[in-house]
């Protein structure tokens, strides 16, 4: 009887050890993600890819409990979301800032809470990052995308000078002007033309805030005002270029024949348009590469490894 009891006890101990061991083996990390605005074509692709890629990296012993919230393009809302993540003690934060001018305050908050921070898509000023191995920015160098847009025009037979008057007359439709992507794309697209010795004239430069309907509205009124004078429409992103394309065809103009249209992002719809000739060119803003790099950095931080401050992903010309 004593023997049987001893065996039973031994078995109970073995099983409970095994059970404990198993429990300890699975670690679930809490991941807080705040996106500047869900209602953004490009950031929607980005956030979906980010979530599915991170989930695909789960193993039997490591799980990611991912919460993604909508900053609703409102800095106060986003700041509260970060406070909530801190209170919830998340293990890492991935942040697509509403305003890069708030980077300093938010970085400080998260660093003080001892939580690693991966900033994405909206490049913060360099001084927010220096020498902090728990904070990084993952993005693409917007200068490159602007240069590529300009180079596509330079590469056209007539260099964008449809009416042959020696000057390329263009309109510029900008994203949020607070955003370096908008600033650099606006500057570098035109710089590529002037660097190639091409004379340019800006007919109008307006803010479309990355939105399709604004792209359409701005292009429609510019076409009504300047008509055939407009030879090139530069848009800081594809969403606005889609709007511009609608306005261009409504005005009876034909892309590739009497006007040129450029965007950035390479949304599938725009890649199809480039192939069909209804858009002159776009630039791949690699949401897959960027979201994967952001997740890889987050996992590095979760493993206690030091982060570089900057991780870059290349743009690719689509023409
Ligand atoms: C994209 C835009 C997007 C913006 C959001 C840019 O990199 O090109 O389409 O609206 O990021 O911050």
């Amino acid at each position: 009887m004593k023997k049987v009891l001893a065996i039973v006890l031994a078995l109970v101990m073995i099983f409970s050890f095994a059970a404990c061991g198993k429990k300890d083996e699975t670690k679930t990390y809490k991941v807080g993600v705040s996106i500047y605005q869900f209602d953004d074509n490009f950031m929607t692709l980005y956030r979906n890819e980010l979530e599915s890629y991170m989930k695909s990296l789960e193993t039997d012993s490591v799980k990611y409990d991912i919460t993604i919230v909508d900053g609703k393009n409102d800095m106060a809302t986003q700041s509260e979301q970060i406070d909530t993540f801190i209170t919830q003690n998340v293990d890492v934060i991935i942040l697509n800032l509403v305003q890069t001018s708030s980077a300093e305050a938010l970085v400080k908050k998260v660093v003080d809470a001892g939580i690693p921070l991966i900033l994405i898509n909206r490049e913060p000023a360099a001084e927010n990052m220096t020498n902090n191995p728990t904070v990084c920015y993952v993005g693409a160098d917007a200068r490159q995308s602007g240069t590529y847009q300009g180079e596509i025009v330079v590469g056209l037979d007539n260099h964008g000078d449809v009416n042959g008057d020696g000057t390329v007359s263009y309109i510029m439709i900008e994203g949020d002007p607070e955003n370096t992507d908008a600033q650099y794309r606006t500057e570098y697209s035109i710089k590529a033309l002037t660097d190639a010795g091409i004379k340019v004239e800006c007919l109008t430069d307006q803010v479309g805030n990355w939105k399709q309907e604004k792209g359409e509205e701005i292009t429609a009124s510019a076409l009504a005002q300047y008509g055939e004078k407009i030879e090139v429409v530069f848009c800081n992103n594809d969403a606005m270029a889609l709007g511009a394309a609608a306005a261009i065809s409504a005005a009876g103009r034909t892309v590739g024949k009497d006007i040129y249209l450029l965007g950035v992002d390479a949304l599938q719809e725009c890649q199809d348009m480039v192939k069909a000739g209804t858009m002159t060119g776009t630039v791949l803003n690699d949401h897959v590469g960027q979201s994967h790099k952001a997740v890889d950095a987050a996992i590095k931080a979760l493993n206690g490894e030091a982060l570089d401050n900057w991780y870059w992903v290349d743009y690719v010309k689509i023409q």
Side-chain angles (χ1 to χ4, degrees):
M1 189 61 192
K2 255 192 190 163
K3 234 184 191 173
V4 173
L5 202 64
I7 289 170
V8 168
L9 268 178
L11 281 175
V12 165
M13 276 170 78
I14 287 168
F15 277 123
S16 48
F17 263 131
C20 283
K22 201 152 193 209
K23 228 189 235 159
D24 284 345
E25 265 171 32
T26 307
K27 167 87 189 148
T28 301
Y29 290 106
K30 280 192 270 178
V31 182
V33 183
S34 174
I35 299 295
Y36 96 94
Q37 176 160 247
F38 277 7
D39 178 21
D40 176 301
N41 310 20
F42 175 75
M43 286 314 303
T44 301
L45 295 171
Y46 193 125
R47 106 179 110 93
N48 291 340
E49 183 62 33
L50 184 139
E51 185 171 23
S52 63
Y53 175 64
M54 195 161 206
K55 280 286 177 194
S56 79
L57 298 180
E58 285 189 335
T59 62
D60 286 345
S61 52
V62 178
K63 303 282 178 209
Y64 302 109
D65 174 7
I66 309 168
T67 306
I68 308 187
V69 292
D70 181 359
K72 304 207 166 103
N73 206 20
D74 181 69
M75 203 52 247
T77 301
Q78 189 170 53
S79 191
E80 275 167 30
Q81 292 170 341
I82 299 305
D83 290 340
T84 307
F85 284 152
I86 292 173
T87 322
Q88 289 168 344
N89 236 326
V90 298
D91 297 294
V92 64
I93 292 176
I94 299 178
L95 176 58
N96 173 209
L97 283 164
V98 168
Q99 284 171 358
T100 40
S101 52
S102 298
E104 193 182 350
L106 288 193
V107 168
K108 186 174 182 319
K109 233 186 225 193
V110 178
V111 167
D112 286 352
I115 299 171
L117 175 64
I118 318 297
L119 293 161
I120 56 167
N121 174 254
R122 295 187 159 186
E123 188 184 329
E127 58 266 28
N128 298 138
M129 318 289 293
T130 338
N131 291 332
N132 195 327
T134 65
V135 182
C136 74
Y137 173 71
V138 179
D141 180 356
R143 280 171 286 223
Q144 193 184 35
S145 54
T147 302
Y148 284 173
Q149 280 189 308
E151 284 178 1
I152 293 171
V153 176
V154 173
L156 297 168
D157 288 344
N158 60 7
H159 314 304
D161 184 11
V162 177
N163 58 21
D165 68 352
T167 301
V168 172
S169 303
Y170 68 91
I171 66 167
M172 179 68 69
I173 308 181
E174 295 194 30
D176 178 354
E178 205 254 3
N179 187 315
T180 46
D181 282 9
Q183 293 159 12
Y184 282 146
R185 288 173 192 169
T186 299
E187 181 186 346
Y188 281 75
S189 52
I190 302 310
K191 188 173 179 300
L193 292 180
T194 53
D195 282 355
I198 294 168
K199 267 179 59 190
V200 295
E201 177 193 17
C202 178
L203 296 169
T204 185
D205 180 333
Q206 292 191 42
V207 172
N209 270 323
W210 307 118
K211 288 182 182 292
Q212 184 163 341
E213 50 292 2
K214 291 295 287 174
E216 182 164 358
E217 200 182 295
I218 293 167
T219 310
S221 69
L223 283 166
Q225 187 173 354
Y226 301 105
E228 306 234 308
K229 275 203 91 181
I230 304 178
E231 299 173 300
V232 183
V233 179
F234 282 105
C235 301
N236 282 173
N237 77 346
D238 276 355
M240 296 188 295
L242 283 170
I248 287 169
S249 61
R253 303 283 297 272
T254 310
V255 171
K257 201 172 130 226
D258 56 33
I259 196 164
Y260 297 107
L261 173 62
L262 286 302
V264 174
D265 282 340
L267 300 179
Q268 189 53 52
E269 208 173 339
C270 294
Q271 294 196 41
D272 294 345
M273 286 167 70
V274 172
K275 266 197 205 119
T278 50
M279 192 166 160
T280 311
T282 182
V283 180
L284 172 72
N285 191 2
D286 183 4
H287 69 273
V288 175
Q290 291 173 57
S291 56
H292 290 200
K293 231 173 222 185
V295 167
D296 291 344
I299 291 175
K300 217 171 168 192
L302 290 173
N303 291 335
E305 292 172 47
L307 298 175
D308 292 345
N309 280 158
W310 307 93
Y311 294 96
W312 299 107
V313 176
D314 272 333
Y315 283 103
V316 181
K317 233 184 251 180
I318 309 280
Q319 58 191 318

